[in-house]
Amino acid sequence: MATFSLQATPTDAASWAELARRAESVGFDALLAADHPGDVTSPFVALAAAAPVTSTIGLGSYVSNLGVREPMLLAADVATLDLISGGRARLGVGAGHTPAEWRAVGRERPDVAGRVRRCVAVAEAVRALLDGASVTVDSAELTMREAVLREPRPVQDRIPLTMGTANSTLLRWAGAHADVVGLTGFGRTLADGHQHEARWRADQIEAQVACVAAGAAGRTDPPALEALVQTVLVTDDAEAAAAEQARRNGMTAAELLATPFVLIGTVDEIVTAVAEHERRWGVTRFVVRSDALDPLAPVLPAQPEPPPTTPLIKRFASDSGFRMTQTS
């Protein structure tokens, strides 16, 4: 059965608490807070406020920009959230794309290779700090000296790590190290620093999944694949509803509806599409925005148990001679 998480940001205390309670009650796996300093609320403060009004739903950032976040401060935030939520923290990370976020902390956004190196360095440092290690790093991307997260210590033995990306190097790193690989479908960042070209064509998705599979070679427990869904719409005419978005992305409506980055159609059609995304790509997790809570409420309990399949990540592993173990 597919897993859905809800990404949102609070506008006031009462509605945020109600959103958290409702997301948990209808079956969302996690409540995720966006992390864009200066443009949205602080994710870990918001998630800490959601912790006492919920009891089972996961709580995490989606995703923290490792270009501007410092490892010790990020690790302390995540560990604190894990402590006060009773072991429900998640950590979503990415390389970042918005130039203004770098300038706001006194840096210029590096080129792609520089952002990737910084992202990997910080992700590895945060992972090590959460695991209780002493971290010393001296590189162009990151400097730390004998950093140790003594308190607070996380409740969980391992806080689940999601890497959200479409970059081939980071997809391979995530395949090797992450618990969840968040397929963003992002291409080149556009001039406004926020919007992106889409990498949603079938061949592009296959290439992304192949990178994950390459990184996961040798893992007995490969990462789950997750898609960041941009549009959720329950409608009786999916092709008409998808036409304009498809045109903007240089795709046909049928091609757009076949991607895991949109869920458009009747409830039954969405349920069928979710099952097809698992069969075709191995995508078993979906992140949707807060406006999808009501449309998806009837979908969550409606999903059938999927038949046994060989998802694309495992097919790539098999085709390439990689050793990976089927997991349930």
Side-chain angles (χ1 to χ4, degrees):
M1 182 178 293
T3 299
F4 286 81
S5 296
L6 190 73
Q7 186 199 47
T9 190
T11 56
D12 61 79
S15 65
W16 178 245
E18 177 57 26
L19 179 74
R21 283 191 290 261
R22 182 136 196 273
E24 182 174 80
S25 70
V26 302
F28 281 94
D29 179 66
L31 177 63
L32 307 174
D35 189 5
H36 291 287
D39 288 318
V40 298
T41 56
S42 169
F44 296 103
V45 174
L47 295 164
V53 300
T54 57
S55 60
T56 59
I57 195 168
L59 302 167
S61 59
Y62 201 90
V63 293
S64 291
N65 177 353
L66 298 192
V68 302
R69 294 291 188 187
E70 292 301 323
M72 178 57 80
L73 301 179
L74 182 57
D77 282 344
V78 176
T80 301
L81 177 63
D82 203 49
L83 179 71
I84 65 173
S85 68
R88 291 185 282 139
R90 313 281 180 87
L91 175 59
V93 301
H97 56 81
T98 307
E101 292 178 10
W102 269 269
R103 291 195 293 269
V105 297
R107 305 173 188 162
E108 286 300 315
R109 187 183 72 163
D111 61 12
V112 172
R115 296 201 299 277
V116 167
R117 289 192 300 269
R118 165 78 184 189
C119 183
V120 169
V122 175
E124 291 178 343
V126 172
R127 176 86 276 155
L129 290 167
L130 291 171
D131 288 344
S134 174
V135 179
T136 296
V137 181
D138 187 6
S139 68
E141 289 73 39
L142 180 65
T143 301
M144 301 174 66
R145 297 183 178 87
E146 298 178 350
V148 180
L149 183 65
R150 296 180 179 85
E151 295 292 342
R153 295 303 308 151
V155 174
Q156 300 176 84
D157 291 335
R158 177 182 172 89
I159 291 176
L161 174 67
T162 297
M163 174 66 78
T165 188
N167 175 271
S168 58
T169 299
L170 289 179
L171 288 168
R172 285 189 289 270
W173 184 93
H177 301 286
D179 301 286
V180 179
V181 181
L183 303 176
T184 62
F186 291 169
R188 183 177 61 88
T189 304
L190 301 181
D192 67 357
H194 295 277
Q195 302 298 312
H196 305 267
E197 293 179 347
R199 291 179 181 170
W200 291 4
R201 295 196 316 271
D203 61 325
Q204 294 171 321
I205 298 171
E206 288 181 3
Q208 292 168 49
V209 174
C211 287
V212 178
R219 284 184 65 168
T220 59
D221 187 15
L225 294 182
E226 182 173 77
L228 177 59
V229 180
Q230 298 295 333
T231 302
V232 175
L233 181 62
V234 176
T235 175
D236 292 332
D237 193 343
E239 290 219 358
E244 176 56 26
Q245 188 172 7
R247 186 195 63 78
R248 292 196 307 269
N249 291 331
M251 306 170 73
T252 67
E255 288 172 331
L256 182 79
L257 293 170
T259 77
F261 304 111
V262 303
L263 295 173
I264 301 174
T266 65
V267 168
D268 287 345
E269 287 171 339
I270 289 174
V271 169
T272 298
V274 166
E276 176 63 12
H277 298 324
E278 177 170 4
R279 185 201 67 78
R280 186 175 186 183
W281 315 113
V283 174
T284 59
R285 303 180 63 89
F286 299 83
V287 175
V288 300
R289 305 290 168 52
S290 57
D291 59 1
L293 194 159
D294 289 328
L296 282 183
V299 173
L300 300 184
Q303 298 175 73
E305 289 291 342
T309 62
T310 305
L312 196 62
I313 185 171
K314 296 184 176 66
R315 294 209 304 272
F316 270 105
S318 175
D319 294 345
S320 303
F322 300 149
R323 296 178 59 192
M324 300 173 66
T325 299
Q326 178 79 30
T327 59
S328 57

